[in-house]
mmCIF file of all heavy atoms in Angstrom:
data_model
loop_
_atom_site.group_PDB
_atom_site.id
_atom_site.type_symbol
_atom_site.label_atom_id
_atom_site.label_comp_id
_atom_site.label_asym_id
_atom_site.label_seq_id
_atom_site.Cartn_x
_atom_site.Cartn_y
_atom_site.Cartn_z
ATOM 1 N N VAL A 4 -78.611 -43.176 25.311
ATOM 2 C CA VAL A 4 -77.272 -43.581 25.681
ATOM 3 C C VAL A 4 -76.475 -42.333 25.977
ATOM 4 O O VAL A 4 -76.394 -41.438 25.134
ATOM 5 C CB VAL A 4 -76.587 -44.359 24.535
ATOM 6 C CG1 VAL A 4 -75.191 -44.784 24.949
ATOM 7 C CG2 VAL A 4 -77.421 -45.576 24.173
ATOM 8 N N VAL A 5 -75.885 -42.248 27.143
ATOM 9 C CA VAL A 5 -75.112 -41.072 27.523
ATOM 10 C C VAL A 5 -73.757 -41.523 28.034
ATOM 11 O O VAL A 5 -73.678 -42.302 28.971
ATOM 12 C CB VAL A 5 -75.816 -40.266 28.624
ATOM 13 C CG1 VAL A 5 -75.011 -39.025 28.936
ATOM 14 C CG2 VAL A 5 -77.218 -39.878 28.183
ATOM 15 N N CYS A 6 -72.716 -41.050 27.376
ATOM 16 C CA CYS A 6 -71.363 -41.335 27.825
ATOM 17 C C CYS A 6 -70.856 -40.079 28.511
ATOM 18 O O CYS A 6 -70.808 -39.014 27.918
ATOM 19 C CB CYS A 6 -70.467 -41.671 26.613
ATOM 20 S SG CYS A 6 -71.024 -43.136 25.729
ATOM 21 N N LEU A 7 -70.442 -40.223 29.746
ATOM 22 C CA LEU A 7 -70.070 -39.066 30.554
ATOM 23 C C LEU A 7 -68.565 -38.924 30.664
ATOM 24 O O LEU A 7 -67.864 -39.892 30.867
ATOM 25 C CB LEU A 7 -70.641 -39.211 31.971
ATOM 26 C CG LEU A 7 -72.171 -39.296 32.077
ATOM 27 C CD1 LEU A 7 -72.510 -39.490 33.540
ATOM 28 C CD2 LEU A 7 -72.788 -38.031 31.559
ATOM 29 N N SER A 8 -68.089 -37.708 30.512
ATOM 30 C CA SER A 8 -66.709 -37.408 30.914
ATOM 31 C C SER A 8 -66.727 -37.184 32.415
ATOM 32 O O SER A 8 -67.762 -36.955 33.003
ATOM 33 C CB SER A 8 -66.222 -36.140 30.184
ATOM 34 O OG SER A 8 -67.055 -35.058 30.466
ATOM 35 N N ALA A 9 -65.557 -37.258 33.030
ATOM 36 C CA ALA A 9 -65.502 -37.216 34.482
ATOM 37 C C ALA A 9 -66.143 -35.955 35.017
ATOM 38 O O ALA A 9 -65.752 -34.846 34.639
ATOM 39 C CB ALA A 9 -64.036 -37.277 34.929
ATOM 40 N N GLY A 10 -67.147 -36.129 35.887
ATOM 41 C CA GLY A 10 -67.771 -35.006 36.562
ATOM 42 C C GLY A 10 -68.780 -34.238 35.745
ATOM 43 O O GLY A 10 -69.351 -33.292 36.242
ATOM 44 N N SER A 11 -69.043 -34.573 34.465
ATOM 45 C CA SER A 11 -69.954 -33.768 33.652
ATOM 46 C C SER A 11 -71.385 -34.035 34.069
ATOM 47 O O SER A 11 -71.787 -35.158 34.255
ATOM 48 C CB SER A 11 -69.779 -34.116 32.161
ATOM 49 O OG SER A 11 -70.164 -35.450 31.903
ATOM 50 N N TRP A 12 -72.148 -32.957 34.207
ATOM 51 C CA TRP A 12 -73.540 -32.901 34.707
ATOM 52 C C TRP A 12 -73.845 -33.974 35.751
ATOM 53 O O TRP A 12 -74.904 -34.572 35.770
ATOM 54 C CB TRP A 12 -74.569 -32.920 33.576
ATOM 55 C CG TRP A 12 -74.512 -34.022 32.558
ATOM 56 C CD1 TRP A 12 -73.788 -34.064 31.424
ATOM 57 C CD2 TRP A 12 -75.263 -35.247 32.569
ATOM 58 N NE1 TRP A 12 -74.025 -35.222 30.738
ATOM 59 C CE2 TRP A 12 -74.925 -35.965 31.396
ATOM 60 C CE3 TRP A 12 -76.189 -35.823 33.422
ATOM 61 C CZ2 TRP A 12 -75.455 -37.201 31.088
ATOM 62 C CZ3 TRP A 12 -76.729 -37.048 33.097
ATOM 63 C CH2 TRP A 12 -76.339 -37.722 31.941
ATOM 64 N N ALA A 13 -72.895 -34.177 36.684
ATOM 65 C CA ALA A 13 -73.071 -35.206 37.715
ATOM 66 C C ALA A 13 -74.304 -34.930 38.576
ATOM 67 O O ALA A 13 -74.993 -35.845 39.015
ATOM 68 C CB ALA A 13 -71.843 -35.285 38.595
ATOM 69 N N GLN A 14 -74.570 -33.643 38.795
ATOM 70 C CA GLN A 14 -75.703 -33.315 39.640
ATOM 71 C C GLN A 14 -77.028 -33.657 38.979
ATOM 72 O O GLN A 14 -78.030 -33.888 39.653
ATOM 73 C CB GLN A 14 -75.669 -31.818 39.991
ATOM 74 C CG GLN A 14 -74.477 -31.425 40.845
ATOM 75 C CD GLN A 14 -74.483 -29.959 41.174
ATOM 76 O OE1 GLN A 14 -75.221 -29.180 40.586
ATOM 77 N NE2 GLN A 14 -73.651 -29.570 42.116
ATOM 78 N N ASN A 15 -77.046 -33.692 37.643
ATOM 79 C CA ASN A 15 -78.288 -33.977 36.937
ATOM 80 C C ASN A 15 -78.456 -35.451 36.575
ATOM 81 O O ASN A 15 -79.517 -35.854 36.115
ATOM 82 C CB ASN A 15 -78.343 -33.160 35.637
ATOM 83 C CG ASN A 15 -78.474 -31.677 35.917
ATOM 84 O OD1 ASN A 15 -79.125 -31.296 36.873
ATOM 85 N ND2 ASN A 15 -77.839 -30.854 35.107
ATOM 86 N N ALA A 16 -77.398 -36.250 36.748
ATOM 87 C CA ALA A 16 -77.470 -37.655 36.343
ATOM 88 C C ALA A 16 -78.475 -38.407 37.198
ATOM 89 O O ALA A 16 -78.546 -38.216 38.399
ATOM 90 C CB ALA A 16 -76.086 -38.294 36.477
ATOM 91 N N PRO A 17 -79.289 -39.288 36.593
ATOM 92 C CA PRO A 17 -80.239 -40.076 37.377
ATOM 93 C C PRO A 17 -79.502 -40.969 38.368
ATOM 94 O O PRO A 17 -78.394 -41.432 38.086
ATOM 95 C CB PRO A 17 -80.963 -40.909 36.308
ATOM 96 C CG PRO A 17 -80.732 -40.188 35.033
ATOM 97 C CD PRO A 17 -79.372 -39.550 35.154
ATOM 98 N N PRO A 18 -80.102 -41.240 39.531
ATOM 99 C CA PRO A 18 -79.437 -42.111 40.518
ATOM 100 C C PRO A 18 -79.298 -43.524 39.993
ATOM 101 O O PRO A 18 -80.107 -43.992 39.189
ATOM 102 C CB PRO A 18 -80.374 -42.045 41.734
ATOM 103 C CG PRO A 18 -81.681 -41.615 41.182
ATOM 104 C CD PRO A 18 -81.390 -40.736 40.016
ATOM 105 N N THR A 19 -78.258 -44.204 40.430
ATOM 106 C CA THR A 19 -78.035 -45.590 40.020
ATOM 107 C C THR A 19 -78.988 -46.508 40.788
ATOM 108 O O THR A 19 -79.621 -46.105 41.768
ATOM 109 C CB THR A 19 -76.593 -46.006 40.304
ATOM 110 O OG1 THR A 19 -76.372 -45.962 41.719
ATOM 111 C CG2 THR A 19 -75.612 -45.060 39.619
ATOM 112 N N ASP A 20 -79.068 -47.785 40.340
ATOM 113 C CA ASP A 20 -79.911 -48.754 41.025
ATOM 114 C C ASP A 20 -79.465 -48.939 42.477
ATOM 115 O O ASP A 20 -80.288 -49.089 43.390
ATOM 116 C CB ASP A 20 -79.884 -50.098 40.302
ATOM 117 C CG ASP A 20 -80.589 -50.039 38.946
ATOM 118 O OD1 ASP A 20 -81.349 -49.068 38.736
ATOM 119 O OD2 ASP A 20 -80.383 -50.939 38.133
ATOM 120 N N ALA A 21 -78.142 -48.925 42.687
ATOM 121 C CA ALA A 21 -77.634 -49.095 44.045
ATOM 122 C C ALA A 21 -78.060 -47.919 44.929
ATOM 123 O O ALA A 21 -78.417 -48.089 46.093
ATOM 124 C CB ALA A 21 -76.108 -49.220 44.026
ATOM 125 N N GLN A 22 -78.029 -46.707 44.350
ATOM 126 C CA GLN A 22 -78.449 -45.524 45.115
ATOM 127 C C GLN A 22 -79.940 -45.592 45.419
ATOM 128 O O GLN A 22 -80.379 -45.222 46.511
ATOM 129 C CB GLN A 22 -78.108 -44.262 44.336
ATOM 130 C CG GLN A 22 -76.620 -43.979 44.245
ATOM 131 C CD GLN A 22 -76.303 -42.855 43.289
ATOM 132 O OE1 GLN A 22 -77.015 -42.618 42.311
ATOM 133 N NE2 GLN A 22 -75.239 -42.107 43.577
ATOM 134 N N ARG A 23 -80.729 -46.059 44.442
ATOM 135 C CA ARG A 23 -82.172 -46.182 44.687
ATOM 136 C C ARG A 23 -82.467 -47.230 45.772
ATOM 137 O O ARG A 23 -83.345 -47.044 46.597
ATOM 138 C CB ARG A 23 -82.902 -46.551 43.389
ATOM 139 C CG ARG A 23 -82.840 -45.464 42.339
ATOM 140 C CD ARG A 23 -83.644 -45.861 41.096
ATOM 141 N NE ARG A 23 -83.456 -44.909 40.025
ATOM 142 C CZ ARG A 23 -84.097 -43.751 39.924
ATOM 143 N NH1 ARG A 23 -84.946 -43.404 40.871
ATOM 144 N NH2 ARG A 23 -83.875 -42.948 38.923
ATOM 145 N N ALA A 24 -81.720 -48.326 45.737
ATOM 146 C CA ALA A 24 -81.899 -49.369 46.748
ATOM 147 C C ALA A 24 -81.597 -48.829 48.141
ATOM 148 O O ALA A 24 -82.266 -49.186 49.116
ATOM 149 C CB ALA A 24 -81.018 -50.564 46.428
ATOM 150 N N ALA A 25 -80.578 -47.991 48.225
ATOM 151 C CA ALA A 25 -80.205 -47.429 49.507
ATOM 152 C C ALA A 25 -81.255 -46.469 50.043
ATOM 153 O O ALA A 25 -81.336 -46.209 51.247
ATOM 154 C CB ALA A 25 -78.857 -46.703 49.391
ATOM 155 N N GLN A 26 -82.111 -45.921 49.129
ATOM 156 C CA GLN A 26 -83.130 -44.967 49.533
ATOM 157 C C GLN A 26 -84.404 -45.642 50.032
ATOM 158 O O GLN A 26 -85.300 -44.990 50.560
ATOM 159 C CB GLN A 26 -83.464 -44.047 48.353
ATOM 160 C CG GLN A 26 -82.314 -43.140 47.948
ATOM 161 C CD GLN A 26 -82.602 -42.397 46.646
ATOM 162 O OE1 GLN A 26 -83.662 -42.562 46.051
ATOM 163 N NE2 GLN A 26 -81.661 -41.575 46.222
ATOM 164 N N VAL A 27 -84.520 -46.966 49.858
ATOM 165 C CA VAL A 27 -85.728 -47.687 50.283
ATOM 166 C C VAL A 27 -85.746 -47.769 51.802
ATOM 167 O O VAL A 27 -84.797 -48.244 52.433
ATOM 168 C CB VAL A 27 -85.775 -49.097 49.662
ATOM 169 C CG1 VAL A 27 -86.977 -49.876 50.216
ATOM 170 C CG2 VAL A 27 -85.846 -49.002 48.150
ATOM 171 N N ASP A 28 -86.850 -47.349 52.402
ATOM 172 C CA ASP A 28 -87.001 -47.391 53.856
ATOM 173 C C ASP A 28 -87.245 -48.829 54.301
ATOM 174 O O ASP A 28 -88.015 -49.571 53.670
ATOM 175 C CB ASP A 28 -88.173 -46.509 54.286
ATOM 176 C CG ASP A 28 -88.239 -46.374 55.782
ATOM 177 O OD1 ASP A 28 -88.865 -47.252 56.410
ATOM 178 O OD2 ASP A 28 -87.671 -45.411 56.342
ATOM 179 N N ASP A 29 -86.616 -49.243 55.399
ATOM 180 C CA ASP A 29 -86.766 -50.610 55.898
ATOM 181 C C ASP A 29 -88.222 -50.936 56.243
ATOM 182 O O ASP A 29 -88.645 -52.094 56.155
ATOM 183 C CB ASP A 29 -85.897 -50.842 57.127
ATOM 184 C CG ASP A 29 -84.428 -50.993 56.764
ATOM 185 O OD1 ASP A 29 -84.144 -51.238 55.577
ATOM 186 O OD2 ASP A 29 -83.577 -50.876 57.658
ATOM 187 N N ASN A 30 -89.001 -49.917 56.625
ATOM 188 C CA ASN A 30 -90.381 -50.140 57.032
ATOM 189 C C ASN A 30 -91.368 -49.989 55.874
ATOM 190 O O ASN A 30 -92.577 -50.118 56.084
ATOM 191 C CB ASN A 30 -90.762 -49.177 58.158
ATOM 192 C CG ASN A 30 -89.957 -49.429 59.427
ATOM 193 O OD1 ASN A 30 -89.756 -50.585 59.806
ATOM 194 N ND2 ASN A 30 -89.480 -48.380 60.052
ATOM 195 N N GLN A 31 -90.868 -49.729 54.688
ATOM 196 C CA GLN A 31 -91.749 -49.597 53.524
ATOM 197 C C GLN A 31 -92.359 -50.953 53.171
ATOM 198 O O GLN A 31 -91.678 -51.975 53.125
ATOM 199 C CB GLN A 31 -90.949 -49.060 52.330
ATOM 200 C CG GLN A 31 -91.749 -48.934 51.045
ATOM 201 C CD GLN A 31 -90.884 -48.394 49.911
ATOM 202 O OE1 GLN A 31 -89.905 -47.692 50.146
ATOM 203 N NE2 GLN A 31 -91.246 -48.734 48.689
ATOM 204 N N ILE A 32 -93.680 -50.966 52.952
ATOM 205 C CA ILE A 32 -94.354 -52.205 52.576
ATOM 206 C C ILE A 32 -94.112 -52.463 51.088
ATOM 207 O O ILE A 32 -94.337 -51.599 50.237
ATOM 208 C CB ILE A 32 -95.865 -52.134 52.857
ATOM 209 C CG1 ILE A 32 -96.102 -51.855 54.350
ATOM 210 C CG2 ILE A 32 -96.551 -53.415 52.434
ATOM 211 C CD1 ILE A 32 -95.561 -52.936 55.263
ATOM 212 N N VAL A 33 -93.647 -53.672 50.781
ATOM 213 C CA VAL A 33 -93.328 -54.032 49.407
ATOM 214 C C VAL A 33 -93.999 -55.353 49.038
ATOM 215 O O VAL A 33 -94.455 -56.109 49.905
ATOM 216 C CB VAL A 33 -91.811 -54.154 49.205
ATOM 217 C CG1 VAL A 33 -91.113 -52.836 49.481
ATOM 218 C CG2 VAL A 33 -91.235 -55.272 50.083
ATOM 219 N N SER A 34 -94.095 -55.600 47.721
ATOM 220 C CA SER A 34 -94.547 -56.916 47.234
ATOM 221 C C SER A 34 -93.329 -57.820 47.192
ATOM 222 O O SER A 34 -92.498 -57.734 46.283
ATOM 223 C CB SER A 34 -95.190 -56.788 45.862
ATOM 224 O OG SER A 34 -96.368 -56.013 45.933
ATOM 225 N N CYS A 35 -93.221 -58.676 48.183
ATOM 226 C CA CYS A 35 -92.032 -59.504 48.356
ATOM 227 C C CYS A 35 -92.225 -60.860 47.683
ATOM 228 O O CYS A 35 -93.197 -61.575 47.970
ATOM 229 C CB CYS A 35 -91.744 -59.679 49.832
ATOM 230 S SG CYS A 35 -90.279 -60.671 50.190
ATOM 231 N N LEU A 36 -91.310 -61.192 46.770
ATOM 232 C CA LEU A 36 -91.326 -62.518 46.156
ATOM 233 C C LEU A 36 -90.446 -63.432 46.990
ATOM 234 O O LEU A 36 -89.216 -63.350 46.946
ATOM 235 C CB LEU A 36 -90.813 -62.439 44.711
ATOM 236 C CG LEU A 36 -90.882 -63.722 43.895
ATOM 237 C CD1 LEU A 36 -92.335 -64.210 43.766
ATOM 238 C CD2 LEU A 36 -90.287 -63.512 42.504
ATOM 239 N N LEU A 37 -91.109 -64.294 47.759
ATOM 240 C CA LEU A 37 -90.377 -65.144 48.697
ATOM 241 C C LEU A 37 -89.698 -66.321 47.979
ATOM 242 O O LEU A 37 -90.144 -66.753 46.917
ATOM 243 C CB LEU A 37 -91.342 -65.691 49.753
ATOM 244 C CG LEU A 37 -91.982 -64.641 50.669
ATOM 245 C CD1 LEU A 37 -93.067 -65.275 51.506
ATOM 246 C CD2 LEU A 37 -90.914 -63.992 51.538
ATOM 247 N N PRO A 38 -88.619 -66.850 48.581
ATOM 248 C CA PRO A 38 -87.976 -68.025 47.994
ATOM 249 C C PRO A 38 -88.953 -69.219 48.004
ATOM 250 O O PRO A 38 -89.854 -69.296 48.829
ATOM 251 C CB PRO A 38 -86.797 -68.296 48.923
ATOM 252 C CG PRO A 38 -86.569 -67.010 49.655
ATOM 253 C CD PRO A 38 -87.911 -66.363 49.781
ATOM 254 N N ALA A 39 -88.782 -70.091 47.042
ATOM 255 C CA ALA A 39 -89.661 -71.254 46.950
ATOM 256 C C ALA A 39 -89.407 -72.221 48.112
ATOM 257 O O ALA A 39 -88.245 -72.510 48.442
ATOM 258 C CB ALA A 39 -89.449 -71.965 45.619
ATOM 259 N N ARG A 40 -90.479 -72.705 48.712
ATOM 260 C CA ARG A 40 -90.335 -73.762 49.717
ATOM 261 C C ARG A 40 -90.096 -75.096 48.998
ATOM 262 O O ARG A 40 -90.633 -75.329 47.922
ATOM 263 C CB ARG A 40 -91.592 -73.856 50.577
ATOM 264 C CG ARG A 40 -91.795 -72.638 51.459
ATOM 265 C CD ARG A 40 -92.987 -72.799 52.377
ATOM 266 N NE ARG A 40 -94.249 -72.928 51.644
ATOM 267 C CZ ARG A 40 -95.436 -72.878 52.218
ATOM 268 N NH1 ARG A 40 -95.534 -72.743 53.533
ATOM 269 N NH2 ARG A 40 -96.523 -73.008 51.498
ATOM 270 N N VAL A 41 -89.269 -75.939 49.598
ATOM 271 C CA VAL A 41 -88.931 -77.227 48.988
ATOM 272 C C VAL A 41 -89.752 -78.310 49.666
ATOM 273 O O VAL A 41 -89.785 -78.415 50.894
ATOM 274 C CB VAL A 41 -87.422 -77.540 49.133
ATOM 275 C CG1 VAL A 41 -87.108 -78.904 48.513
ATOM 276 C CG2 VAL A 41 -86.595 -76.441 48.492
ATOM 277 N N ARG A 42 -90.432 -79.095 48.834
ATOM 278 C CA ARG A 42 -91.300 -80.152 49.357
ATOM 279 C C ARG A 42 -90.771 -81.541 48.926
ATOM 280 O O ARG A 42 -90.033 -81.648 47.937
ATOM 281 C CB ARG A 42 -92.737 -79.942 48.861
ATOM 282 C CG ARG A 42 -93.344 -78.637 49.311
ATOM 283 C CD ARG A 42 -94.768 -78.496 48.793
ATOM 284 N NE ARG A 42 -95.644 -79.481 49.420
ATOM 285 C CZ ARG A 42 -96.272 -79.306 50.581
ATOM 286 N NH1 ARG A 42 -96.079 -78.168 51.262
ATOM 287 N NH2 ARG A 42 -97.058 -80.238 51.072
ATOM 288 N N LYS A 43 -91.208 -82.543 49.673
ATOM 289 C CA LYS A 43 -90.828 -83.894 49.335
ATOM 290 C C LYS A 43 -92.068 -84.777 49.318
ATOM 291 O O LYS A 43 -92.878 -84.751 50.245
ATOM 292 C CB LYS A 43 -89.816 -84.450 50.339
ATOM 293 C CG LYS A 43 -89.348 -85.870 50.007
ATOM 294 C CD LYS A 43 -88.274 -86.353 50.973
ATOM 295 C CE LYS A 43 -87.825 -87.759 50.591
ATOM 296 N NZ LYS A 43 -86.786 -88.265 51.511
ATOM 297 N N LEU A 44 -92.210 -85.475 48.212
ATOM 298 C CA LEU A 44 -93.324 -86.415 48.084
ATOM 299 C C LEU A 44 -92.726 -87.769 47.731
ATOM 300 O O LEU A 44 -92.293 -87.997 46.606
ATOM 301 C CB LEU A 44 -94.300 -85.948 46.999
ATOM 302 C CG LEU A 44 -95.483 -86.893 46.723
ATOM 303 C CD1 LEU A 44 -96.356 -87.052 47.973
ATOM 304 C CD2 LEU A 44 -96.303 -86.363 45.558
ATOM 305 N N GLY A 45 -92.720 -88.662 48.725
ATOM 306 C CA GLY A 45 -92.066 -89.962 48.492
ATOM 307 C C GLY A 45 -90.591 -89.744 48.246
ATOM 308 O O GLY A 45 -89.872 -89.155 49.051
ATOM 309 N N GLY A 46 -90.141 -90.175 47.077
ATOM 310 C CA GLY A 46 -88.726 -89.988 46.741
ATOM 311 C C GLY A 46 -88.492 -88.771 45.862
ATOM 312 O O GLY A 46 -87.390 -88.580 45.341
ATOM 313 N N ILE A 47 -89.541 -87.953 45.696
ATOM 314 C CA ILE A 47 -89.425 -86.781 44.812
ATOM 315 C C ILE A 47 -89.301 -85.528 45.664
ATOM 316 O O ILE A 47 -90.110 -85.273 46.558
ATOM 317 C CB ILE A 47 -90.652 -86.661 43.885
ATOM 318 C CG1 ILE A 47 -90.803 -87.923 43.032
ATOM 319 C CG2 ILE A 47 -90.551 -85.428 43.006
ATOM 320 C CD1 ILE A 47 -92.063 -87.936 42.198
ATOM 321 N N VAL A 48 -88.291 -84.766 45.368
ATOM 322 C CA VAL A 48 -88.075 -83.469 46.019
ATOM 323 C C VAL A 48 -88.268 -82.396 44.966
ATOM 324 O O VAL A 48 -87.653 -82.447 43.887
ATOM 325 C CB VAL A 48 -86.668 -83.369 46.629
ATOM 326 C CG1 VAL A 48 -86.450 -81.997 47.246
ATOM 327 C CG2 VAL A 48 -86.475 -84.475 47.679
ATOM 328 N N TYR A 49 -89.102 -81.412 45.272
ATOM 329 C CA TYR A 49 -89.391 -80.378 44.269
ATOM 330 C C TYR A 49 -89.690 -79.040 44.966
ATOM 331 O O TYR A 49 -90.160 -79.021 46.116
ATOM 332 C CB TYR A 49 -90.574 -80.781 43.397
ATOM 333 C CG TYR A 49 -91.887 -80.899 44.153
ATOM 334 C CD1 TYR A 49 -92.778 -79.832 44.204
ATOM 335 C CD2 TYR A 49 -92.216 -82.086 44.813
ATOM 336 C CE1 TYR A 49 -93.972 -79.945 44.901
ATOM 337 C CE2 TYR A 49 -93.392 -82.210 45.513
ATOM 338 C CZ TYR A 49 -94.290 -81.120 45.563
ATOM 339 O OH TYR A 49 -95.442 -81.228 46.260
#
């Protein structure tokens, strides 16, 4: 647990999740969890 005062060791702080997301290349191959397809069987939708 690290509580930072303003600007302290900012250069050494690990990147945030948002910063890491921004670093992902659009052409990078990933394991994509796709949304579930919705099916209908008779009167049942699942």
Side-chain angles (χ1 to χ4, degrees):
V4 180
V5 182
C6 298
L7 298 178
S8 58
S11 65
W12 54 273
Q14 295 180 347
N15 292 325
T19 64
D20 291 343
Q22 290 171 330
R23 294 183 187 280
Q26 293 171 0
V27 175
D28 188 273
D29 284 343
N30 295 318
Q31 178 180 334
I32 301 299
V33 298
S34 295
C35 181
L36 185 60
L37 295 171
R40 292 184 297 190
V41 179
R42 299 181 67 87
K43 181 176 181 180
L44 177 62
I47 301 174
V48 177
Y49 64 95

